[in-house]
Amino acid sequence: MTTSPHELDAADPLASFRDRFVIDDDLVAYLDGNSLGRLPRATLERLAVFVREEWGGRLIRGWADSWVDLPVTVGDELGAALLGAAAGQTVVADSTSVCIYKLLHAASGLRPGRDEIVIDATNFPTDRYLVDSVAAARGMTVRWLEPDLVENVTIEVLAAALGDRTAVVVLSHVDYRSGTLLDLPGLTAAVHAAGAVVIWDLCHSAGAVPIELDAAEVDFAVGCTYKYVNGGPGAPAYVYVARRHLAEAHQPITGWWSAADLFAMSDTYESSPTIRRMLSGTPPVAGLLAVQEGVRLIAEAGVEAVRTKSEALTAYAIELVDEIGLEIVTPRDPALRGSHVTVRHPDARAVADRLVERGVVPDFREPDLIRLGLSPLTTSFAEVSAAARILAEVVAPIG
Ligand SMILES: *Cc1c(COP(=O)(O)O)cnc(C)c1O
């Protein structure tokens, strides 16, 4: 007999954070916060004030008032709250895809005598596509890891592919399908032992899993802000470059915002010596403000408390899915998983469609996976319980 979801919600120290979000949909359970997080009430207010008073009232003066520095100030705030990154190494910019492109070039440039980029075949499509195109552009070779989806990239799997040709390794901290959480410090150390540098994609971990980039001596990292950070659709991504690499990190989209003096309008380009060198063009101010509000909510809750709730939510979901008797492809050891639980079903698409019809929004991933995303600040145990009850009804006739 499982614990009642209402007892779990009553004992949840983060339960009140749900009220800090706009929840006026008609859903029984929103289990897709790992694709698009909910809207914080503070963001609704902040953007209304921004549009009316800052854009409407200050016009071009807004840049000098505060907007010019937002990519760096929001980056520092995000780095401190979510990434274990000291100031001056994180900047908010572009999309994750564009940031990966920039980092692949910057990272490859640090190892000119080496010609291989290592990435796993289980990685997110955009990461794989960009590795392919940057490798082709630079005359490099891609070395593909073929790990088991659930165990994912272990130190043994990675070590077998590393060598004196390895320039760069690209890894996702949490696998977007299985939810497997990789050993970021251990794998980073293995990459360094081979003389290479690593780019960590934090899209599915930041905001749900504690991260210590400085302590692990990570070289580069990237991530999006619209999943667990709740920055909203299309909110800008972030880039982390370790201070020790900053002077040598050359990204290819050298626009005026990455120049040493933004307003000098000089004849020739000279890179900013600071993390601003990772910028390119005019930043999306509304998106930056939304990211700031999302980061502040997580900082207020505390990343450790967020992780504790996340582990409890995923454990509860696994327990309920086990009772239904469905296959789970997410690691059962909480230390080895992020904040979503993935179910494998031969009719996954039909199951996902029927769940949506019944007010439960999961995520379908080709060909046979259903992801249940559990957002620590907004998902309640009651939601998980209701979703599991409906899942059991939905799979029964499908068999
Ligand atoms: C969500 C996600 C992305 C998204 O990239 P965009 O450029 O924001 O579309 C990239 N990588 C991973 C691992 C993701 O989970």
Side-chain angles (χ1 to χ4, degrees), residues 95-98 100 123-124 126-127 172 176 201 203-204 224 226-227:
S95 64
T96 304
S97 300
V98 172
I100 291 172
N123 216 317
F124 192 83
T126 213
D127 302 57
S172 279
Y176 79 104
D201 185 329
C203 280
H204 271 280
C224 70
Y226 50 80
K227 293 171 182 167

Side-chain angles (χ1 to χ4, degrees), residues 175-230:
D175 184 276
Y176 79 104
R177 288 183 297 173
S178 63
T180 307
L181 173 65
L182 270 54
D183 174 5
L184 180 145
L187 289 161
T188 299
V191 171
H192 290 167
V197 293
V198 68
I199 300 172
W200 279 100
D201 185 329
L202 308 174
C203 280
H204 271 280
S205 61
V209 177
I211 299 169
E212 295 291 344
L213 295 182
D214 287 354
E217 297 185 11
V218 165
D219 303 288
F220 303 96
V222 62
C224 70
T225 60
Y226 50 80
K227 293 171 182 167
Y228 295 112
V229 186
N230 304 307

Side-chain angles (χ1 to χ4, degrees), residues 203-384:
C203 280
H204 271 280
S205 61
V209 177
I211 299 169
E212 295 291 344
L213 295 182
D214 287 354
E217 297 185 11
V218 165
D219 303 288
F220 303 96
V222 62
C224 70
T225 60
Y226 50 80
K227 293 171 182 167
Y228 295 112
V229 186
N230 304 307
Y238 54 87
V239 173
Y240 164 93
V241 178
R243 191 181 305 283
R244 65 186 179 282
H245 293 316
L246 212 44
E248 300 305 322
H250 301 293
Q251 58 94 356
I253 312 177
T254 51
W256 63 313
W257 279 70
S258 55
D261 186 343
L262 171 58
F263 294 113
M265 310 279 168
S266 54
D267 292 340
T268 52
Y269 175 81
E270 189 196 330
S271 284
S272 165
T274 75
I275 188 69
R276 296 189 72 94
R277 64 173 40 217
M278 300 310 290
L279 298 175
S280 294
T282 305
V285 175
L288 279 156
L289 297 177
V291 171
Q292 190 168 44
E293 294 302 333
V295 167
R296 285 179 177 172
L297 271 175
I298 298 167
E300 187 185 328
V303 173
E304 294 301 331
V306 163
R307 175 63 175 164
T308 302
K309 167 114 183 250
S310 162
E311 287 184 10
L313 283 168
T314 51
Y316 187 55
I318 288 173
E319 186 180 337
L320 297 180
V321 171
D322 275 346
E323 281 176 11
I324 304 171
L326 296 174
E327 183 190 354
I328 291 172
V329 300
T330 301
R332 283 168 185 275
D333 177 353
L336 298 180
R337 63 175 186 253
S339 207
H340 65 270
V341 170
T342 304
V343 175
R344 177 177 274 144
H345 191 285
D347 293 313
R349 185 189 290 278
V351 171
D353 288 348
R354 287 188 203 184
L355 285 173
V356 172
E357 281 166 21
R358 301 278 308 269
V360 174
V361 177
D363 211 33
F364 166 69
R365 282 292 173 264
E366 290 284 1
D368 57 1
L369 301 178
I370 298 167
R371 288 193 320 195
L372 310 175
L374 307 165
S375 295
L377 295 187
T378 57
T379 307
S380 66
F381 291 90
E383 255 182 310
V384 177

Side-chain angles (χ1 to χ4, degrees), residues 51-98:
V51 170
R52 197 170 55 235
E53 297 175 12
E54 294 190 42
W55 176 16
R58 297 296 296 164
L59 289 168
I60 194 71
R61 295 168 294 177
W63 288 110
D65 291 348
S66 62
W67 303 339
V68 164
D69 291 325
L70 278 176
V72 176
T73 51
V74 178
D76 282 344
E77 218 171 312
L78 188 151
L82 308 185
L83 309 181
Q89 304 175 101
T90 312
V91 78
V92 178
D94 309 309
S95 64
T96 304
S97 300
V98 172

